[in-house]
Amino acid sequence: MGREPGDSPADDDAAGRGPDDMSLEELREEIESIDREIVDLIARRTYVAETIAEVKDERGMATTDEGQEQAVMDRAGQNAEAFDVDPNLVKAIFRLLIELNKVEQRENR
């Protein structure tokens, strides 16, 4: 099994073992750590989206920007391909993030 995107030799544990040598418990701990990072990134993304909504509101702009949404989806697909992840799965996740941000923007207006 090769390295995954974002892996570096420093990502292996102190004994220098790779993912193939890790126990099930160690692998689950790694998943837990990754999950925390994902939630942190979602929180950061949500904060920035809320700030964008405030700027749009101050400028009298519409909540929805279809061109920007398409750019986000295109970028998500390109990033998925670069990391050898299913682009449809990644785009579905980003569609959900966009929709959740739009709902929050509408509710806060």
Side-chain angles (χ1 to χ4, degrees), residues 1-82:
M1 179 183 252
R3 292 213 175 271
E4 296 299 316
D7 280 356
S8 70
D11 290 333
D12 292 346
D13 69 8
R17 298 180 304 157
D20 291 339
D21 299 321
M22 296 172 75
S23 71
L24 182 58
E25 185 59 31
E26 289 171 321
L27 291 167
R28 286 180 175 159
E29 288 173 6
E30 182 70 10
I31 289 288
E32 287 179 30
S33 175
I34 292 167
D35 289 350
R36 280 190 298 275
E37 291 177 43
I38 291 170
V39 172
D40 176 55
L41 292 171
I42 291 170
R44 288 172 49 198
R45 188 183 197 287
T46 299
Y47 172 78
V48 173
E50 289 171 354
T51 304
I52 289 170
E54 290 172 9
V55 170
K56 285 180 177 181
D57 191 43
E58 289 172 2
R59 296 180 182 178
M61 298 170 68
T63 300
T64 301
D65 182 343
E66 291 180 16
Q68 180 60 26
E69 288 178 25
Q70 187 59 52
V72 170
M73 297 303 288
D74 292 344
R75 201 168 47 241
Q78 291 167 357
N79 286 331
E81 290 174 2

